[in-house]
Amino acid sequence: MIYAVWVPLLMPFLAVPAARRLAELMAPRQAVRLLAAAAVILGCCSTVALGLLVVAGALRLPAVAALGRLIHPPTGDGPVGAVAAVAAASLIGVCATALVRTVLRQCAELRAARRLVGGTARTGELAVLRDAGPAAYALPGRPGRIVVTTGMLKALDPGEREALFAHERAHLAGRHHLFLGAAELAALCHPSLRGLRAPLGYALERCADEAAAGAVGDRSLAARAIGRAALAAHRAPAVRPSVVLAVDAGPVPRRVAALLSHRPAGAVANRREGRTARAIAGALLVCVALSAAGALEAATDLHAGIEVAQGETGPR
């Protein structure tokens, strides 16, 4: 098991660059699904691998061996296995602590934001905050709200406001906060998965940008609304929860350029780019498959070792 268990811990270092590059060649909605799925699967596999290392090390302890009724407690892997088990237990503890703190912080920020929105004037799904600082964001919940400050409303003309509302409405309808939250939690399971948060955030904003352009029927208007909203928010930033999706997030110039481009979102420029995309997709699939297979092989090997230690089967 000591060899197979390392595969899920090493594969993310290869899979993350491939996923980032492939997402650049895909349509925004496809990129969101790819990046979120890769983050969750790789994060789960690496966590399972750490857990298996901890279990394998714990089985060497007399108390655990007695509890598991192990007649012949495993002694393989020597000091390497013991060190790996201690390191894995420490990492799991750190990750679990960070995960709990992150979830509690995000929930507290969302509750505070909803309390603030609860005391504002509402027009349907729209909640207007009296704040000179320009800000607009999609606040998830039941029901979801489009939160906008008076400062942002003053910075845009009526047509741009409609594009802005359509952008935030797309975030709520697509439940984009769930994708971002999944990637955020997966990043706590493996350090390399942090590299997927920025491209996922960009892909989510691009999804909302395209939805806004379709809703107002004018890509130039949508691009202008996003650019002006981001510029206004940059000059006089307003306070908002760190966990929400906002119109000024991500590389705004790149988003505006994509909206103004006549090239369909996700369309490959030529055959060479198409071959590159297929090659990267194949490499990424191999990395994910190896990660899952390594975790499964390590779990199967550990289970077989426990059966041997319990005297249920003979050694293989």
Side-chain angles (χ1 to χ4, degrees):
M1 186 198 76
I2 196 63
Y3 302 107
V5 79
W6 292 109
V7 176
L9 299 175
L10 297 176
M11 280 299 109
F13 292 105
L14 299 177
V16 168
R20 290 172 60 97
R21 180 69 182 99
L22 183 59
E24 296 176 356
L25 302 174
M26 301 176 70
R29 183 173 297 182
Q30 296 173 340
V32 165
R33 294 172 180 173
L34 167 76
L35 294 170
V40 170
I41 294 174
L42 293 171
C44 289
C45 289
S46 61
T47 302
V48 168
L50 290 176
L52 292 174
L53 285 172
V54 173
V55 173
L59 291 176
R60 295 179 173 82
L61 300 177
V64 177
L67 183 64
R69 299 179 180 178
L70 304 184
I71 300 175
H72 307 290
T75 58
D77 303 332
V80 175
V83 172
V86 173
S90 301
L91 288 174
I92 288 179
V94 171
C95 292
T97 301
L99 190 147
V100 171
R101 287 180 177 178
T102 299
V103 171
L104 292 178
R105 174 179 56 81
Q106 292 180 351
C107 290
E109 290 182 353
L110 290 176
R111 284 195 300 268
R114 293 199 69 82
R115 284 195 299 268
L116 183 62
V117 168
T120 63
R122 303 177 187 174
T123 304
E125 64 186 352
L126 184 64
V128 180
L129 298 178
R130 294 186 178 277
D131 189 339
Y137 54 86
L139 181 62
R142 294 185 179 180
R145 297 290 181 190
I146 298 174
V147 183
V148 62
T149 63
T150 52
M152 180 63 78
L153 292 177
K154 292 178 180 179
L156 306 178
D157 62 36
E160 292 167 348
R161 293 174 191 169
E162 289 302 319
L164 174 68
F165 298 154
H167 175 96
E168 303 303 344
R169 190 176 296 115
H171 281 318
L172 293 175
R175 304 180 70 82
H176 290 171
H177 64 285
L178 296 180
F179 292 97
L180 198 60
E184 185 77 20
L185 297 181
L188 298 174
C189 299
H190 196 285
S192 72
L193 296 180
R194 298 172 186 171
L196 295 180
R197 291 184 297 185
L200 178 59
Y202 171 75
L204 289 170
E205 293 300 333
R206 284 285 297 118
C207 284
D209 292 345
E210 291 294 333
V216 299
D218 188 340
R219 298 181 69 83
S220 297
L221 174 60
R224 188 168 66 250
I226 292 168
R228 292 188 63 182
L231 183 60
H234 178 73
R235 288 176 176 173
V239 178
R240 67 168 183 259
S242 62
V243 296
V244 299
L245 290 156
V247 69
D248 59 312
V252 175
R254 185 181 171 194
R255 291 167 51 197
V256 170
L259 278 173
L260 296 177
S261 173
H262 295 292
R263 177 181 172 184
V268 295
N270 48 51
R271 292 183 179 179
R272 181 178 180 182
E273 191 173 281
R275 289 195 296 269
T276 300
R278 288 190 292 271
I280 297 174
L284 177 60
L285 182 60
V286 169
C287 290
V288 172
L290 287 176
S291 182
L296 180 60
E297 173 63 23
T300 302
D301 190 34
L302 178 62
H303 181 265
I306 292 175
E307 288 186 337
V308 171
Q310 291 176 332
E312 297 181 7
T313 61
R316 294 182 180 181

